[in-house]
mmCIF file of all heavy atoms in Angstrom:
data_model
loop_
_atom_site.group_PDB
_atom_site.id
_atom_site.type_symbol
_atom_site.label_atom_id
_atom_site.label_comp_id
_atom_site.label_asym_id
_atom_site.label_seq_id
_atom_site.Cartn_x
_atom_site.Cartn_y
_atom_site.Cartn_z
ATOM 1 N N GLU C 48 17.980 -12.226 -39.495
ATOM 2 C CA GLU C 48 16.953 -12.793 -38.633
ATOM 3 C C GLU C 48 16.673 -11.868 -37.461
ATOM 4 O O GLU C 48 17.476 -11.001 -37.127
ATOM 5 C CB GLU C 48 17.416 -14.161 -38.109
ATOM 6 C CG GLU C 48 17.268 -15.277 -39.112
ATOM 7 C CD GLU C 48 17.949 -16.533 -38.623
ATOM 8 O OE1 GLU C 48 19.186 -16.542 -38.533
ATOM 9 O OE2 GLU C 48 17.240 -17.495 -38.317
ATOM 10 N N SER C 49 15.569 -12.128 -36.829
ATOM 11 C CA SER C 49 15.189 -11.337 -35.660
ATOM 12 C C SER C 49 16.279 -11.413 -34.593
ATOM 13 O O SER C 49 16.839 -12.475 -34.344
ATOM 14 C CB SER C 49 13.874 -11.898 -35.116
ATOM 15 O OG SER C 49 13.517 -11.196 -33.982
ATOM 16 N N ASP C 185 -0.784 -5.504 -44.659
ATOM 17 C CA ASP C 185 -1.347 -6.347 -45.700
ATOM 18 C C ASP C 185 -0.648 -6.068 -47.024
ATOM 19 O O ASP C 185 -0.099 -4.989 -47.226
ATOM 20 C CB ASP C 185 -2.840 -6.049 -45.849
ATOM 21 C CG ASP C 185 -3.623 -6.728 -44.764
ATOM 22 O OD1 ASP C 185 -3.261 -7.862 -44.408
ATOM 23 O OD2 ASP C 185 -4.574 -6.114 -44.256
ATOM 24 N N SER C 187 -1.736 -5.339 -49.940
ATOM 25 C CA SER C 187 -2.179 -4.165 -50.684
ATOM 26 C C SER C 187 -1.620 -2.893 -50.060
ATOM 27 O O SER C 187 -1.167 -1.992 -50.759
ATOM 28 C CB SER C 187 -3.710 -4.117 -50.719
ATOM 29 O OG SER C 187 -4.205 -4.158 -49.403
ATOM 30 N N GLN C 189 1.045 -2.702 -48.119
ATOM 31 C CA GLN C 189 2.491 -2.756 -48.274
ATOM 32 C C GLN C 189 2.885 -2.168 -49.624
ATOM 33 O O GLN C 189 3.815 -1.368 -49.722
ATOM 34 C CB GLN C 189 2.949 -4.200 -48.162
ATOM 35 C CG GLN C 189 4.385 -4.415 -48.590
ATOM 36 C CD GLN C 189 4.840 -5.850 -48.374
ATOM 37 O OE1 GLN C 189 4.660 -6.377 -47.294
ATOM 38 N NE2 GLN C 189 5.407 -6.469 -49.381
ATOM 39 N N ALA C 190 2.174 -2.578 -50.632
ATOM 40 C CA ALA C 190 2.493 -2.079 -51.971
ATOM 41 C C ALA C 190 2.381 -0.567 -52.003
ATOM 42 O O ALA C 190 3.264 0.129 -52.519
ATOM 43 C CB ALA C 190 1.552 -2.703 -52.995
ATOM 44 N N LEU C 193 5.304 1.084 -50.090
ATOM 45 C CA LEU C 193 6.572 1.004 -50.825
ATOM 46 C C LEU C 193 6.596 2.016 -51.971
ATOM 47 O O LEU C 193 7.606 2.675 -52.209
ATOM 48 C CB LEU C 193 6.783 -0.413 -51.365
ATOM 49 C CG LEU C 193 7.065 -1.482 -50.303
ATOM 50 C CD1 LEU C 193 7.192 -2.850 -50.939
ATOM 51 C CD2 LEU C 193 8.332 -1.151 -49.521
ATOM 52 N N ARG C 194 5.479 2.141 -52.609
ATOM 53 C CA ARG C 194 5.397 3.083 -53.704
ATOM 54 C C ARG C 194 5.603 4.513 -53.195
ATOM 55 O O ARG C 194 6.352 5.297 -53.776
ATOM 56 C CB ARG C 194 4.032 2.945 -54.370
ATOM 57 C CG ARG C 194 3.910 3.769 -55.621
ATOM 58 C CD ARG C 194 2.470 3.855 -56.022
ATOM 59 N NE ARG C 194 2.344 4.728 -57.163
ATOM 60 C CZ ARG C 194 2.146 4.281 -58.396
ATOM 61 N NH1 ARG C 194 2.054 2.987 -58.639
ATOM 62 N NH2 ARG C 194 2.054 5.130 -59.392
ATOM 63 N N ARG C 197 9.162 5.335 -52.479
ATOM 64 C CA ARG C 197 9.944 5.637 -53.659
ATOM 65 C C ARG C 197 9.666 7.069 -54.129
ATOM 66 O O ARG C 197 10.570 7.838 -54.439
ATOM 67 C CB ARG C 197 9.629 4.646 -54.756
ATOM 68 C CG ARG C 197 10.710 4.597 -55.822
ATOM 69 C CD ARG C 197 10.371 3.562 -56.846
ATOM 70 N NE ARG C 197 9.054 3.814 -57.403
ATOM 71 C CZ ARG C 197 8.324 2.884 -58.038
ATOM 72 N NH1 ARG C 197 8.779 1.659 -58.144
ATOM 73 N NH2 ARG C 197 7.150 3.183 -58.516
ATOM 74 N N SER C 215 11.733 -10.494 -50.263
ATOM 75 C CA SER C 215 11.068 -10.079 -51.507
ATOM 76 C C SER C 215 11.041 -8.566 -51.596
ATOM 77 O O SER C 215 11.296 -7.987 -52.657
ATOM 78 C CB SER C 215 9.631 -10.589 -51.536
ATOM 79 O OG SER C 215 9.580 -11.930 -51.184
ATOM 80 N N ARG C 219 13.203 -5.885 -54.144
ATOM 81 C CA ARG C 219 12.515 -4.938 -55.018
ATOM 82 C C ARG C 219 12.984 -3.511 -54.863
ATOM 83 O O ARG C 219 13.077 -2.778 -55.823
ATOM 84 C CB ARG C 219 11.017 -4.963 -54.727
ATOM 85 C CG ARG C 219 10.228 -5.783 -55.679
ATOM 86 C CD ARG C 219 8.827 -5.275 -55.752
ATOM 87 N NE ARG C 219 8.650 -4.359 -56.865
ATOM 88 C CZ ARG C 219 8.262 -4.744 -58.069
ATOM 89 N NH1 ARG C 219 8.031 -6.003 -58.313
ATOM 90 N NH2 ARG C 219 8.111 -3.857 -59.029
ATOM 91 N N ALA C 255 16.640 -19.112 -49.621
ATOM 92 C CA ALA C 255 15.919 -20.359 -49.873
ATOM 93 C C ALA C 255 14.692 -20.465 -48.985
ATOM 94 O O ALA C 255 13.672 -21.048 -49.360
ATOM 95 C CB ALA C 255 16.835 -21.549 -49.640
ATOM 96 N N ALA C 256 14.799 -19.889 -47.795
ATOM 97 C CA ALA C 256 13.715 -20.046 -46.836
ATOM 98 C C ALA C 256 12.504 -19.185 -47.172
ATOM 99 O O ALA C 256 11.391 -19.477 -46.754
ATOM 100 C CB ALA C 256 14.213 -19.690 -45.436
ATOM 101 N N PRO C 258 9.300 -17.971 -48.562
ATOM 102 C CA PRO C 258 8.274 -18.711 -49.283
ATOM 103 C C PRO C 258 8.030 -18.065 -50.644
ATOM 104 O O PRO C 258 8.037 -16.840 -50.772
ATOM 105 C CB PRO C 258 7.052 -18.606 -48.379
ATOM 106 C CG PRO C 258 7.311 -17.467 -47.486
ATOM 107 C CD PRO C 258 8.778 -17.278 -47.387
ATOM 108 N N LEU C 260 5.882 -17.806 -54.367
ATOM 109 C CA LEU C 260 4.531 -17.975 -54.888
ATOM 110 C C LEU C 260 4.372 -19.251 -55.702
ATOM 111 O O LEU C 260 3.317 -19.856 -55.734
ATOM 112 C CB LEU C 260 4.159 -16.786 -55.773
ATOM 113 C CG LEU C 260 3.593 -15.578 -55.048
ATOM 114 C CD1 LEU C 260 3.016 -14.593 -56.037
ATOM 115 C CD2 LEU C 260 2.527 -16.013 -54.060
ATOM 116 N N ASP C 261 5.475 -19.678 -56.329
ATOM 117 C CA ASP C 261 5.339 -20.888 -57.126
ATOM 118 C C ASP C 261 5.397 -22.138 -56.280
ATOM 119 O O ASP C 261 5.304 -23.257 -56.769
ATOM 120 C CB ASP C 261 6.410 -20.924 -58.227
ATOM 121 C CG ASP C 261 7.801 -20.812 -57.640
ATOM 122 O OD1 ASP C 261 7.957 -20.998 -56.416
ATOM 123 O OD2 ASP C 261 8.746 -20.522 -58.391
ATOM 124 N N GLY C 266 17.043 -24.827 -52.632
ATOM 125 C CA GLY C 266 18.227 -24.711 -51.794
ATOM 126 C C GLY C 266 18.084 -25.385 -50.444
ATOM 127 O O GLY C 266 17.039 -25.938 -50.105
ATOM 128 N N PRO C 267 19.167 -25.308 -49.692
ATOM 129 C CA PRO C 267 19.202 -26.020 -48.417
ATOM 130 C C PRO C 267 18.394 -25.281 -47.357
ATOM 131 O O PRO C 267 18.249 -24.056 -47.414
ATOM 132 C CB PRO C 267 20.690 -25.995 -48.068
ATOM 133 C CG PRO C 267 21.190 -24.729 -48.703
ATOM 134 C CD PRO C 267 20.375 -24.516 -49.944
ATOM 135 N N SER C 268 17.861 -26.019 -46.417
ATOM 136 C CA SER C 268 17.187 -25.364 -45.299
ATOM 137 C C SER C 268 18.203 -25.140 -44.190
ATOM 138 O O SER C 268 19.300 -25.702 -44.211
ATOM 139 C CB SER C 268 16.027 -26.226 -44.808
ATOM 140 O OG SER C 268 16.472 -27.142 -43.842
ATOM 141 N N LEU C 269 17.825 -24.279 -43.269
ATOM 142 C CA LEU C 269 18.759 -23.875 -42.219
ATOM 143 C C LEU C 269 18.291 -24.489 -40.903
ATOM 144 O O LEU C 269 17.301 -24.058 -40.330
ATOM 145 C CB LEU C 269 18.759 -22.352 -42.132
ATOM 146 C CG LEU C 269 19.847 -21.703 -41.300
ATOM 147 C CD1 LEU C 269 21.221 -22.107 -41.793
ATOM 148 C CD2 LEU C 269 19.697 -20.201 -41.379
ATOM 149 N N ASP C 272 17.803 -23.047 -34.305
ATOM 150 C CA ASP C 272 17.382 -21.670 -34.062
ATOM 151 C C ASP C 272 18.587 -20.766 -34.091
ATOM 152 O O ASP C 272 19.710 -21.200 -33.837
ATOM 153 C CB ASP C 272 16.727 -21.581 -32.679
ATOM 154 C CG ASP C 272 15.462 -22.376 -32.641
ATOM 155 O OD1 ASP C 272 14.606 -22.175 -33.507
ATOM 156 O OD2 ASP C 272 15.345 -23.239 -31.734
ATOM 157 N N GLU E 42 -6.846 -10.538 -46.121
ATOM 158 C CA GLU E 42 -6.143 -9.474 -45.425
ATOM 159 C C GLU E 42 -6.607 -9.405 -43.973
ATOM 160 O O GLU E 42 -7.610 -10.007 -43.595
ATOM 161 C CB GLU E 42 -6.392 -8.144 -46.137
ATOM 162 C CG GLU E 42 -5.698 -8.085 -47.479
ATOM 163 C CD GLU E 42 -5.958 -6.772 -48.157
ATOM 164 O OE1 GLU E 42 -7.056 -6.564 -48.676
ATOM 165 O OE2 GLU E 42 -5.050 -5.927 -48.150
ATOM 166 N N SER E 43 -5.875 -8.647 -43.234
ATOM 167 C CA SER E 43 -6.179 -8.509 -41.818
ATOM 168 C C SER E 43 -7.629 -8.064 -41.615
ATOM 169 O O SER E 43 -8.106 -7.177 -42.316
ATOM 170 C CB SER E 43 -5.217 -7.486 -41.222
ATOM 171 O OG SER E 43 -5.485 -7.342 -39.865
ATOM 172 N N SER E 152 12.886 -21.364 -27.348
ATOM 173 C CA SER E 152 12.901 -20.298 -28.351
ATOM 174 C C SER E 152 11.567 -20.313 -29.087
ATOM 175 O O SER E 152 10.764 -21.231 -28.931
ATOM 176 C CB SER E 152 14.047 -20.511 -29.323
ATOM 177 O OG SER E 152 13.714 -21.572 -30.193
ATOM 178 N N ASP E 182 10.825 -16.147 -37.670
ATOM 179 C CA ASP E 182 11.737 -15.777 -38.752
ATOM 180 C C ASP E 182 11.504 -16.667 -39.970
ATOM 181 O O ASP E 182 11.030 -17.795 -39.831
ATOM 182 C CB ASP E 182 13.169 -16.004 -38.275
ATOM 183 C CG ASP E 182 13.713 -14.764 -37.640
ATOM 184 O OD1 ASP E 182 13.567 -13.699 -38.238
ATOM 185 O OD2 ASP E 182 14.268 -14.867 -36.533
ATOM 186 N N THR E 184 13.568 -18.323 -41.682
ATOM 187 C CA THR E 184 14.280 -19.600 -41.640
ATOM 188 C C THR E 184 13.535 -20.596 -40.768
ATOM 189 O O THR E 184 13.390 -21.774 -41.101
ATOM 190 C CB THR E 184 15.705 -19.391 -41.109
ATOM 191 O OG1 THR E 184 15.620 -18.647 -39.902
ATOM 192 C CG2 THR E 184 16.559 -18.654 -42.106
ATOM 193 N N GLN E 186 10.354 -20.407 -40.041
ATOM 194 C CA GLN E 186 9.078 -20.646 -40.692
ATOM 195 C C GLN E 186 9.189 -21.819 -41.656
ATOM 196 O O GLN E 186 8.349 -22.696 -41.700
ATOM 197 C CB GLN E 186 8.659 -19.381 -41.451
ATOM 198 C CG GLN E 186 7.595 -19.618 -42.488
ATOM 199 C CD GLN E 186 7.067 -18.302 -43.031
ATOM 200 O OE1 GLN E 186 6.564 -17.490 -42.278
ATOM 201 N NE2 GLN E 186 7.181 -18.105 -44.317
ATOM 202 N N ARG E 187 10.285 -21.821 -42.384
ATOM 203 C CA ARG E 187 10.457 -22.879 -43.364
ATOM 204 C C ARG E 187 10.494 -24.239 -42.684
ATOM 205 O O ARG E 187 9.871 -25.206 -43.131
ATOM 206 C CB ARG E 187 11.753 -22.644 -44.130
ATOM 207 C CG ARG E 187 11.959 -23.701 -45.156
ATOM 208 C CD ARG E 187 13.080 -23.347 -46.064
ATOM 209 N NE ARG E 187 13.354 -24.491 -46.923
ATOM 210 C CZ ARG E 187 14.381 -24.561 -47.728
ATOM 211 N NH1 ARG E 187 15.225 -23.551 -47.780
ATOM 212 N NH2 ARG E 187 14.570 -25.606 -48.475
ATOM 213 N N GLU E 188 11.188 -24.308 -41.564
ATOM 214 C CA GLU E 188 11.278 -25.555 -40.820
ATOM 215 C C GLU E 188 9.907 -26.006 -40.324
ATOM 216 O O GLU E 188 9.533 -27.174 -40.423
ATOM 217 C CB GLU E 188 12.176 -25.366 -39.590
ATOM 218 C CG GLU E 188 13.566 -24.920 -39.923
ATOM 219 C CD GLU E 188 14.475 -26.113 -40.054
ATOM 220 O OE1 GLU E 188 14.495 -26.919 -39.099
ATOM 221 O OE2 GLU E 188 15.109 -26.263 -41.111
ATOM 222 N N PHE E 211 0.659 -15.503 -49.346
ATOM 223 C CA PHE E 211 0.422 -16.425 -50.468
ATOM 224 C C PHE E 211 1.574 -17.408 -50.638
ATOM 225 O O PHE E 211 1.383 -18.540 -51.057
ATOM 226 C CB PHE E 211 0.213 -15.634 -51.764
ATOM 227 C CG PHE E 211 -1.135 -15.009 -51.855
ATOM 228 C CD1 PHE E 211 -1.334 -13.685 -51.546
ATOM 229 C CD2 PHE E 211 -2.233 -15.779 -52.250
ATOM 230 C CE1 PHE E 211 -2.584 -13.110 -51.621
ATOM 231 C CE2 PHE E 211 -3.482 -15.201 -52.335
ATOM 232 C CZ PHE E 211 -3.669 -13.866 -52.017
ATOM 233 N N GLY E 212 2.775 -16.974 -50.288
ATOM 234 C CA GLY E 212 3.923 -17.868 -50.408
ATOM 235 C C GLY E 212 3.757 -19.079 -49.493
ATOM 236 O O GLY E 212 3.959 -20.217 -49.882
ATOM 237 N N ALA E 215 1.124 -21.352 -50.763
ATOM 238 C CA ALA E 215 1.586 -22.190 -51.864
ATOM 239 C C ALA E 215 2.401 -23.358 -51.346
ATOM 240 O O ALA E 215 2.386 -24.453 -51.913
ATOM 241 C CB ALA E 215 2.415 -21.354 -52.834
ATOM 242 N N ARG E 236 -2.913 -23.973 -56.847
ATOM 243 C CA ARG E 236 -2.159 -23.650 -58.057
ATOM 244 C C ARG E 236 -3.029 -22.895 -59.048
ATOM 245 O O ARG E 236 -2.627 -21.888 -59.617
ATOM 246 C CB ARG E 236 -1.616 -24.919 -58.725
ATOM 247 C CG ARG E 236 -0.455 -25.546 -57.985
ATOM 248 C CD ARG E 236 0.905 -25.108 -58.544
ATOM 249 N NE ARG E 236 1.077 -23.680 -58.717
ATOM 250 C CZ ARG E 236 1.570 -22.863 -57.775
ATOM 251 N NH1 ARG E 236 1.921 -23.337 -56.598
ATOM 252 N NH2 ARG E 236 1.719 -21.587 -58.013
ATOM 253 N N PRO E 255 5.323 -8.491 -54.101
ATOM 254 C CA PRO E 255 6.571 -7.963 -54.657
ATOM 255 C C PRO E 255 7.148 -8.867 -55.744
ATOM 256 O O PRO E 255 7.815 -8.385 -56.661
ATOM 257 C CB PRO E 255 7.506 -7.892 -53.466
ATOM 258 C CG PRO E 255 6.628 -7.922 -52.275
ATOM 259 C CD PRO E 255 5.380 -8.643 -52.649
ATOM 260 N N ARG E 257 5.473 -10.468 -57.899
ATOM 261 C CA ARG E 257 4.594 -10.465 -59.049
ATOM 262 C C ARG E 257 4.482 -9.101 -59.690
ATOM 263 O O ARG E 257 4.481 -8.978 -60.906
ATOM 264 C CB ARG E 257 3.156 -10.818 -58.613
ATOM 265 C CG ARG E 257 2.840 -12.254 -58.475
ATOM 266 C CD ARG E 257 2.415 -12.842 -59.807
ATOM 267 N NE ARG E 257 2.441 -14.268 -59.713
ATOM 268 C CZ ARG E 257 1.375 -15.007 -59.454
ATOM 269 N NH1 ARG E 257 0.198 -14.444 -59.312
ATOM 270 N NH2 ARG E 257 1.476 -16.305 -59.332
ATOM 271 N N ALA E 258 4.354 -8.130 -58.816
ATOM 272 C CA ALA E 258 3.898 -6.827 -59.282
ATOM 273 C C ALA E 258 4.805 -6.274 -60.355
ATOM 274 O O ALA E 258 6.028 -6.312 -60.242
ATOM 275 C CB ALA E 258 3.845 -5.855 -58.113
ATOM 276 N N VAL E 259 4.137 -5.756 -61.334
ATOM 277 C CA VAL E 259 4.878 -5.063 -62.367
ATOM 278 C C VAL E 259 5.351 -3.748 -61.756
ATOM 279 O O VAL E 259 6.489 -3.357 -61.835
ATOM 280 C CB VAL E 259 3.974 -4.780 -63.575
ATOM 281 C CG1 VAL E 259 4.787 -4.146 -64.687
ATOM 282 C CG2 VAL E 259 3.298 -6.063 -64.024
ATOM 283 N N ASP E 260 4.383 -3.110 -61.137
ATOM 284 C CA ASP E 260 4.725 -1.918 -60.392
ATOM 285 C C ASP E 260 3.913 -1.972 -59.106
ATOM 286 O O ASP E 260 2.871 -2.611 -59.037
ATOM 287 C CB ASP E 260 4.369 -0.672 -61.214
ATOM 288 C CG ASP E 260 5.014 0.549 -60.598
ATOM 289 O OD1 ASP E 260 5.738 0.395 -59.593
ATOM 290 O OD2 ASP E 260 4.785 1.645 -61.129
ATOM 291 N N LEU E 261 4.425 -1.294 -58.068
ATOM 292 C CA LEU E 261 3.716 -1.342 -56.804
ATOM 293 C C LEU E 261 2.587 -0.325 -56.824
ATOM 294 O O LEU E 261 2.832 0.872 -56.901
ATOM 295 C CB LEU E 261 4.689 -1.028 -55.674
ATOM 296 C CG LEU E 261 5.805 -2.054 -55.507
ATOM 297 C CD1 LEU E 261 6.928 -1.485 -54.679
ATOM 298 C CD2 LEU E 261 5.264 -3.322 -54.897
ATOM 299 N N THR E 262 1.376 -0.800 -56.772
ATOM 300 C CA THR E 262 0.266 0.139 -56.784
ATOM 301 C C THR E 262 -0.593 0.025 -55.551
ATOM 302 O O THR E 262 -0.972 1.002 -54.941
ATOM 303 C CB THR E 262 -0.633 -0.111 -57.992
ATOM 304 O OG1 THR E 262 -0.730 -1.504 -58.193
ATOM 305 C CG2 THR E 262 -0.091 0.586 -59.208
ATOM 306 N N GLY E 263 -0.905 -1.210 -55.140
ATOM 307 C CA GLY E 263 -1.848 -1.384 -54.056
ATOM 308 C C GLY E 263 -3.249 -1.377 -54.608
ATOM 309 O O GLY E 263 -3.471 -1.240 -55.816
#
Side-chain angles (χ1 to χ4, degrees):
Chain C
E48 281 170 292
S49 178
D185 281 322
S187 55
Q189 168 176 310
L193 290 177
R194 187 194 176 104
R197 199 178 55 200
S215 313
R219 261 207 95 91
L260 274 191
D261 56 15
S268 88
L269 192 57
D272 295 307
Chain E
E42 290 180 285
S43 180
S152 74
D182 269 312
T184 50
Q186 162 171 301
R187 181 170 172 188
E188 301 267 307
F211 284 99
R236 287 264 50 90
R257 277 274 166 97
V259 184
D260 193 2
L261 296 163
T262 39

